[in-house]
Amino acid sequence: DSLTMERLNTYVVSASIENASIQNLNEPVTVTLHHIDQNRGNAAVHCVFWDFGKNNGLGGWNTSGCEMEYTDMNYTICFCNHLTHFGVLLDLARTEVDVTHDHILTLISYAGCGASSLFLGITLMAYLTLEKVRRDNPSKILLNLCAALLMLNMVFLTNSWLTSFNQPGLCIIMAMLLHYFLLAAFTWMSLESVHFYLALVKVFNVYVPKYILKCCIAGWGIPAIVITLVLIINKDFYGNGSLSESHPYSNFCWIQDNTVFYISVVAYFFLIFLINTAMFITVLLQIHSVKTRTQKTSRFWKQGVLQDLKSAFSLMFLLGLTWGFAFFAWGAVRIFFLYLFSIFNTLQGFFIFVFHCLMKDEVVKQCRVHFCWGRFRLSDYS
């Protein structure tokens, strides 16, 4: 019942070493399985292992982390590897990439998440320390978005390490936290886009009492509701592919059930992506419209184009539109878009720091007032 519409076509092979738990291997074990019946119709072949933790301890077949290396009519070669690259968070294909690309994507993911964590921490400290730059609502929303992204990066970076302790309860907690902060980051990106719409398009006739409080309830509360529902239905939707002590092939705690993944992550993000894309286009058109009305001469058109590009890139990273690369990671171009996905999204925190600290005049001014000395220091009344 674990894999519907499929049947076992090889003998089951098991390997163990007495008094030892074999896991976290640098190179996967390769297993060659001979078919009981020849695969003359070139039917799809899946490599699986027996997951003792599925179906409330009854066990079941699991494909997580296992990859079919080669198959023909008579036999299939399988090996298993863990998923650790950032793209796995929103990889619609839900299948392994080859070992070389997996290692490169993993390095990119860890380097990018590490850099983003550093710059998100700097951005948070700057906005929290400088009272004058955090007074307005956009800054408060940005603070919450940075907090969600920072926690997402930290949980991702520690996931594999904590999973190596092979504690099912800890694994469920890590997968749940990763899921929560991912959804929280998406939600705050959406709230950011709604705020831009209200501020730049509606402008007048919009007053929302206790605006930031309501944003916080939505930004942190809606993801909590989704996580709670998943836990109520079945906490074992979270896991690391295998809860057995013999050989947990996967070394990354995440959502194991495809249906839950597509509903609670992909569908959730797709809705937010549509909202943010619509707001992104509307806001850019509004900015362009305002600038064409105010700039009567065309001498500075180059400067205007550069400003428009700056606004577009700033909004694109702030609203998380680069996460949309996941929708193109299919078929022949899957690896290419996984690279784009991993590079741009792990560095989202860095881009936020660049656009909303380094390139924001008021933040730079306040930093020079409070943190610089000598000729770089500004008077508070400059």
Side-chain angles (χ1 to χ4, degrees):
D1 294 336
S2 302
L3 297 171
T4 58
M5 305 299 292
E6 296 188 25
R7 67 182 181 88
L8 192 65
N9 193 32
T10 70
Y11 291 105
V12 178
V13 178
S14 175
S16 62
I17 297 177
E18 190 175 3
N19 299 323
S21 176
I22 307 302
Q23 53 184 305
N24 303 327
L25 299 175
N26 291 328
E27 295 184 11
V29 173
T30 302
V31 182
T32 302
L33 299 165
H34 288 269
H35 299 162
I36 296 171
D37 298 322
Q38 284 189 331
N39 186 11
R40 295 184 181 276
N42 197 28
V45 174
H46 297 281
C47 294
V48 297
F49 65 93
W50 187 258
D51 182 349
F52 290 90
K54 290 193 80 170
N55 301 318
N56 296 318
L58 296 175
W61 296 113
N62 196 331
T63 60
S64 178
C66 284
E67 183 181 27
M68 186 268 293
E69 177 68 7
Y70 173 82
T71 187
D72 62 16
M73 286 196 305
N74 299 307
Y75 68 95
T76 295
I77 298 176
C78 297
F79 64 80
C80 296
N81 202 4
H82 61 267
L83 294 164
T84 51
H85 59 83
F86 200 75
V88 74
L89 297 182
L90 209 63
D91 187 358
L92 274 63
R94 300 279 280 177
T95 56
E96 260 292 281
V97 298
D98 67 73
V99 176
T100 304
H101 289 300
D102 188 44
H103 287 171
I104 296 171
L105 286 166
T106 298
L107 289 173
I108 292 171
S109 299
Y110 278 84
C113 285
S116 269
S117 298
L118 173 65
F119 288 108
L120 284 168
I122 294 172
T123 304
L124 279 169
M125 288 301 297
Y127 275 80
L128 289 171
T129 306
L130 303 171
E131 193 268 337
K132 285 187 178 180
V133 301
R134 70 168 191 271
R135 287 176 179 172
D136 56 359
N137 288 336
S139 298
K140 292 173 183 176
I141 294 173
L142 179 66
L143 277 172
N144 282 280
L145 174 59
C146 288
L149 286 172
L150 178 61
M151 291 307 300
L152 173 63
N153 284 321
M154 296 305 294
V155 173
F156 177 84
L157 288 171
T158 56
N159 193 305
S160 289
W161 173 63
L162 292 172
T163 304
S164 66
F165 292 108
N166 199 27
Q167 298 294 322
L170 180 62
C171 185
I172 290 171
I173 291 171
M174 290 305 297
M176 180 191 71
L177 289 174
L178 194 63
H179 191 191
Y180 175 75
F181 287 116
L182 181 67
L183 296 187
F186 290 157
T187 310
W188 279 106
M189 290 173 202
S190 182
L191 290 170
E192 188 85 67
S193 71
V194 171
H195 176 78
F196 275 125
Y197 176 76
L198 294 176
L200 295 174
V201 179
K202 288 295 184 182
V203 186
F204 302 110
N205 304 321
V206 176
Y207 170 72
V208 181
K210 297 183 179 178
Y211 180 65
I212 293 299
L213 176 62
K214 290 178 179 177
C215 284
C216 287
I217 292 172
W220 300 110
I222 294 174
I225 292 171
V226 175
I227 304 303
T228 304
L229 288 173
V230 173
L231 289 172
I232 289 172
I233 295 170
N234 189 352
K235 64 180 176 58
D236 290 331
F237 287 146
Y238 297 117
N240 70 331
S242 173
L243 299 180
S244 69
E245 294 183 358
S246 58
H247 197 143
Y249 291 115
S250 176
N251 195 32
F252 189 76
C253 292
W254 186 223
I255 301 168
Q256 299 304 309
D257 187 87
N258 284 339
T259 304
V260 174
F261 171 75
Y262 287 122
I263 293 174
S264 67
V265 177
V266 177
Y268 191 96
F269 171 69
F270 183 68
L271 177 63
I272 284 174
F273 182 77
L274 289 179
I275 294 170
N276 286 12
T277 303
M279 298 298 181
F280 173 75
I281 295 169
T282 305
V283 167
L284 283 184
L285 289 174
Q286 181 69 8
I287 291 172
H288 181 72
S289 174
V290 170
K291 289 178 74 174
T292 52
R293 287 200 302 267
T294 55
Q295 292 179 353
K296 295 181 180 179
T297 60
S298 59
R299 297 192 298 187
F300 305 109
W301 67 272
K302 287 185 179 178
Q303 184 179 350
V305 169
L306 289 175
Q307 287 292 332
D308 286 343
L309 287 173
K310 175 192 167 184
S311 301
F313 278 107
S314 173
L315 282 172
M316 188 170 68
F317 287 107
L318 194 63
L319 304 184
L321 299 187
T322 54
W323 288 79
F325 286 133
F327 295 124
F328 303 98
W330 288 94
V333 295
R334 178 171 176 246
I335 298 298
F336 173 71
F337 278 102
L338 278 178
Y339 274 99
L340 290 181
F341 182 96
S342 295
I343 292 168
F344 283 105
N345 293 322
T346 56
L347 290 173
Q348 188 176 7
F350 170 72
F351 289 121
I352 286 175
F353 169 76
V354 170
F355 286 119
H356 298 277
C357 283
L358 291 185
M359 298 178 71
K360 201 165 185 179
D361 293 338
E362 182 61 24
V363 176
V364 173
K365 177 191 169 185
Q366 289 301 316
C367 285
R368 291 182 65 183
V369 168
H370 294 281
F371 302 135
C372 294
W373 56 89
R375 64 189 184 91
F376 296 104
R377 184 178 179 85
L378 282 178
S379 166
D380 202 12
Y381 303 102
S382 296

